[in-house]
Amino acid sequence: MRTPDSRTTDPADARLLRAALGRFATGVAVVTATSPAGTPVGMTVNSFTSVSLDPPLVLFCASRRSSLYPVFAAAAAFGVNILRDGQTAESRRFAGPGFDRFAGLAPREGRTGVPLLPRALATLECVEPERRPAGDHDVIIGRVAVVETHAGDLDQPLVYYAGGYRSLNTDVEWWTAWRE
C-alpha cells in the first residue's frame, strides 16, 4: 500500500536507493585480517551474512576502492567480530579512514592467526576465502573454521538502522519464556 510520503523512482537514484536499503536493520561486524607485513587490519561491515551451515560458510562485501581491500583480497583467513550493544565506538573506529584502528585495543590472535577484538559478542575465524566480483565490490565468502560466543544470555547486538546505531529493547520475560 502506498502512503502519501511514498516515492518511486529509477533504482539508479543512488540517494533514494541508499535510503530504501537503510530501512533494513543489520547487525554490525568488524572483519579483520593480517597484512603481509604482519599488521592487523580491520573494517566495519554491515554486509555480513551466513551462506550455509553445511558446509559452514559466511560472506561479507568489500569495496575494491577501499585502502584495505588488497589485504582482504590476499588474506588466507579473515575474522568476523560481531559487535555487541555498547561497541559503537569500535564500529566507528574501524569505519574511519587512515589511522591505526587497533591502537589501544589489544586484539588477541585467533587459532587461524587473525586478530580478534576484545568484548565482541561472537567471533568467527574463516579460511579458504573465495572472492566474487559484484559491481564495485567483491563478495568474500569464507569457510568457518572456528566459532566462539562471548556473551551472556541477554547481551544484545549492535544494530544499524536508517543511518544510525540502534539498541534492541529486549523484554526479559519474553526472552525467558522463549528459552524455556
Side-chain angles (χ1 to χ4, degrees):
M1 169 189 225
R2 287 191 59 151
T3 61
D5 64 342
S6 295
R7 293 182 289 161
T8 60
T9 190
D10 182 340
D13 180 341
R15 192 176 32 139
L16 185 58
L17 180 59
R18 185 178 182 99
L21 295 174
R23 299 294 193 268
F24 184 70
T26 64
V28 182
V30 171
V31 293
T32 54
T34 303
S35 76
T39 306
V41 299
M43 65 181 174
T44 300
V45 298
N46 67 356
S47 60
F48 165 74
T49 192
S50 66
V51 175
S52 170
L53 293 175
D54 185 17
L57 302 172
V58 297
L59 70 75
F60 73 97
C61 299
S63 172
R64 288 191 295 278
R65 292 185 297 226
S66 167
S67 62
L68 296 177
Y69 173 80
V71 174
F72 286 98
F78 64 88
V80 179
N81 302 269
I82 299 171
L83 300 187
R84 69 176 69 233
D85 193 11
Q87 287 189 295
T88 302
E90 287 91 333
S91 175
R92 287 188 174 129
R93 169 190 287 242
F94 283 91
F99 62 94
D100 179 3
R101 296 172 181 178
F102 282 91
L105 284 184
R108 67 183 174 85
E109 186 175 312
R111 287 188 263 172
T112 62
V114 298
L116 299 172
L117 298 180
R119 298 183 50 243
L121 195 58
T123 55
L124 309 170
E125 296 179 57
C126 303
V127 297
E128 303 168 4
E130 295 178 35
R131 288 154 205 82
R132 301 193 180 159
D136 61 355
H137 282 61
D138 271 4
V139 176
I140 300 176
I141 303 167
R143 183 178 58 78
V144 179
V146 181
V147 178
E148 296 179 12
T149 59
H150 310 283
D153 285 343
L154 296 178
D155 286 348
Q156 297 295 307
L158 184 60
V159 176
Y160 197 79
Y161 175 75
Y165 294 97
R166 307 290 185 222
S167 204
L168 295 179
N169 294 317
T170 301
D171 180 331
V172 175
E173 290 178 21
W174 171 85
W175 180 260
T176 304
W178 177 80
R179 287 187 56 223
E180 295 172 354

